[in-house]
Amino acid sequence: MEVNFFKDLETEIKEKLKDFGYPIPSFAELRKQHISATEAHLSYKHYDIKNLVLHFLTVTERRIPIKKWNIHISPQLQNRTEIVNIVSMLSKGEDANSLLSHRIRSRHQNDEHSHDLLRYEWGIYHLHFTKKRSKNLLFVFIHHDDIYLIDILAHESKKLGNVTWTNTDLIQTLHDNWPHVIARAIFKTDSKETLTTEQRRNLRENGGNTNVTVRDGTEYMPIGGGFSCSKHPVRAVIGADVLVDKVRVLEQWTINSEQQIKATLKQNDNIEVRLVLDNDYNPRVYGDCN
């Protein structure tokens, strides 16, 4: 019985990245993104594939699922004609991922010029208005089958004084209009803690997640789940660990159960067993009889 689930996992991830239209980083490229890559590669059996999984899950964290969304529009965006086409796309279930930053295509997802810490920390996506990019950006939040259009802001520019990526007004708008969608992240309701824009920006640039306190004293923990010290989304870091461990357990179980599998299939000839990822990126095992 032929079993190589980690090779299957590598193939599955590469195919999915290809389907997205994104480049596939080599193991060598992924190693260069980690300070301790040499030592880790020698000590961790599936180090390279785990890096590829982390890259893939980071990319998927940034993507907007393709489905028909229930649209909610903030008071700030009422009567804003710029959003008409995007609203139409999202409500019809069209793919809006072409309007995301081109940096989602980067082979180096935790590079300072490629990551999306706003998305990882606050759970807020930013969309351009055309595939050719735009100076103004639409900020949205996703919750279950609903998508909330928060505001339009100019692209970040220290030179022009544009505060975008750490603009807490985005959280304030969510709190004022749809508090139920972010209630799970409430830390306390009578907070006095505040950070200046510069403090928040410096902390984020140096790998620090921060809470946000809105005007009525409600303090929110990172709504998007936060990012790690490597500046990958925490959910992707945990997800990579979980997926690699699931594949390891499945592979070992399958090898140990060869006779049971053959008896169940009533097949004594060679059986090729392979691993695939379902639509939710969970591993599934399929067998073919040769």
Side-chain angles (χ1 to χ4, degrees), residues 29 39 68 77 81 138 230 264:
E29 287 175 316
E39 294 82 358
K68 292 182 179 181
L77 296 177
T81 58
L138 175 64
S230 66
T264 301

Side-chain angles (χ1 to χ4, degrees), residues 205-224:
E205 288 176 354
N206 287 282
N209 293 270
T210 60
N211 287 4
V212 174
T213 301
V214 294
R215 286 190 290 269
D216 67 4
T218 304
E219 182 176 344
Y220 289 97
M221 297 180 290
I223 297 167

Side-chain angles (χ1 to χ4, degrees), residues 228-243:
S228 67
C229 58
S230 66
K231 296 186 178 178
H232 289 95
V234 167
R235 280 198 287 258
V237 173
I238 295 172
D241 284 336
V242 170
L243 180 54

Side-chain angles (χ1 to χ4, degrees), residues 26 48 129 132-133 190 199 252 259 273:
S26 67
D48 284 330
F129 285 95
K132 295 181 178 180
R133 313 299 89 183
D190 58 350
Q199 287 173 328
Q252 192 58 55
Q259 296 307 315
V273 181

